[in-house]
Amino acid sequence: LREPGLNLRVVQLFRDPRAVHNSRLKARQALLRESVQVLRSRHRAEPRGPARQQQQQQQHLLLPPGLLGGGRPPQPQHRAEFFLGGALEVICQSWLRDLLLARRAPDWLRRRYTQLRYEDLVREPRAELRRLLRFAGLTVPPALEDFVVNMTRGAAYSSDRPFLISARDAREAVHAWRERLSRQQVRQVEAACGEAMSILAY
């Protein structure tokens, strides 16, 4: 970040973890391998000794009930949800570390780092695009502004094909989790990701 020849800028994108969990559940099979890799990254970074025991007590908030008893592996029908829930916990822990680091960041880092919430981009695409390009020292071509608006204000909402890049009503995606997640799932996400959600004002 301090290399003068690079002029590197970092934009970190966040999204409401409840919406993230909803999207990941819809694409559970497609994200299974990625989720396992995320969980492995936590295993490599885990502390040892008493700190390890305390961390274990705080983990597994997003796993379906009954999957952890006696160290048994998850049943095949719950396998994807088991890995998806654990991976989201790791993601939220990583977000929290990043957010706390950004709060304490020196001026040289603050000048080169900014955060973007998906929900803000969806609600105010033109304003957020201008802010991001201004941060990057770039101009805002009218064609790019039109593209962003068109992609977030499409007529459809293709929820069944989450990896399809198409014009859709992204505002519907912001609150889709409210209709699709159970109360228990919402509570589990909020318990696992609460600190990061609070900092991000979710």
Side-chain angles (χ1 to χ4, degrees), residues 6-160:
L6 289 179
N7 192 23
L8 181 65
R9 307 293 172 103
V10 176
V11 177
Q12 187 166 10
L13 176 66
F14 294 96
R15 188 179 182 192
D16 187 325
R18 294 163 295 198
V20 172
H21 194 51
N22 179 54
S23 293
R24 291 174 65 81
L25 286 174
K26 285 187 296 185
R28 66 185 72 194
Q29 292 304 323
L31 291 173
L32 186 57
R33 181 178 295 179
E34 178 265 355
S35 296
V36 172
Q37 291 173 339
V38 170
L39 284 169
R40 285 179 179 159
S41 74
R42 172 168 67 184
H43 179 70
R44 287 192 298 269
E46 282 175 347
R48 302 288 179 247
R52 162 75 172 143
Q53 291 176 348
Q54 181 181 5
Q55 189 183 62
Q56 280 181 324
Q57 292 171 358
Q58 296 170 349
Q59 291 171 357
H60 308 309
L61 294 169
L62 284 165
L63 302 181
L67 291 189
L68 294 170
R72 293 188 303 272
Q75 296 298 315
Q77 67 269 28
H78 295 300
R79 186 168 177 260
E81 190 170 346
F82 179 90
F83 289 122
L84 285 172
L88 184 60
E89 288 184 33
V90 176
I91 291 168
C92 284
Q93 292 164 7
S94 177
W95 284 4
L96 182 59
R97 285 193 301 272
D98 293 342
L99 290 163
L100 294 175
L101 175 65
R103 277 185 167 182
R104 302 187 301 263
D107 288 341
W108 63 264
L109 178 55
R110 288 178 185 272
R111 288 192 299 268
R112 297 188 172 274
Y113 169 85
T114 192
Q115 298 166 353
L116 171 65
R117 297 190 329 163
Y118 170 81
E119 294 78 9
D120 297 332
L121 179 63
V122 166
R123 291 187 183 107
E124 298 290 340
R126 284 192 173 95
E128 287 300 314
L129 176 65
R130 289 173 186 155
R131 180 179 74 82
L132 289 175
L133 293 179
R134 190 167 52 247
F135 165 74
L138 302 171
T139 58
V140 185
L144 181 57
E145 209 170 271
D146 292 342
F147 174 80
V148 169
V149 172
N150 290 339
M151 291 299 285
T152 58
R153 296 293 187 270
Y157 174 55
S158 181
S159 60
D160 295 330

